[in-house]
Amino acid sequence: MEKRSKKFVYFISFVIMFLIGLTLLLNIIFGAKLGNFGNILNKIIAILSYIVVCVNAFFFVRTKRSGIYLTFYIIAILLILVCVIIPFVI
């Protein structure tokens, strides 16, 4: 992975980690008062976390010579899309 893209992925990972912590703190402080907004915020943060993990995993898979890693990566991406992201959007 190039140095510039690696720094960008690390920065985005840090921002998402911060947002996850902030969301958890808001849920503790406000609890049920957030209601539906809190649930939507949690789902968005979870989806962003999946995206960051997938990008990091891609850079790992790209360095491997075996096609089995790429096959498992594609299967995992499809499962995440079908089970997490598409039901949230619909």
Side-chain angles (χ1 to χ4, degrees), residues 8-72:
F8 179 72
V9 169
Y10 290 158
F11 174 73
I12 295 298
S13 300
F14 172 75
V15 169
I16 290 175
M17 182 190 68
F18 178 76
L19 290 175
I20 291 170
L22 185 64
T23 304
L24 292 172
L25 182 64
L26 288 174
N27 280 337
I28 290 172
I29 293 173
F30 296 111
K33 293 179 185 176
L34 286 177
N36 212 11
F37 177 73
N39 292 335
I40 291 171
L41 193 59
N42 281 336
K43 288 180 182 179
I44 290 171
I45 295 301
I47 289 172
L48 289 174
S49 300
Y50 286 124
I51 291 170
V52 168
V53 168
C54 291
V55 169
N56 284 326
F58 171 75
F59 289 119
F60 171 77
V61 168
R62 193 174 73 172
T63 63
K64 301 301 174 190
R65 296 178 189 225
S66 175
I68 195 79
Y69 287 103
L70 182 61
T71 304
F72 285 147

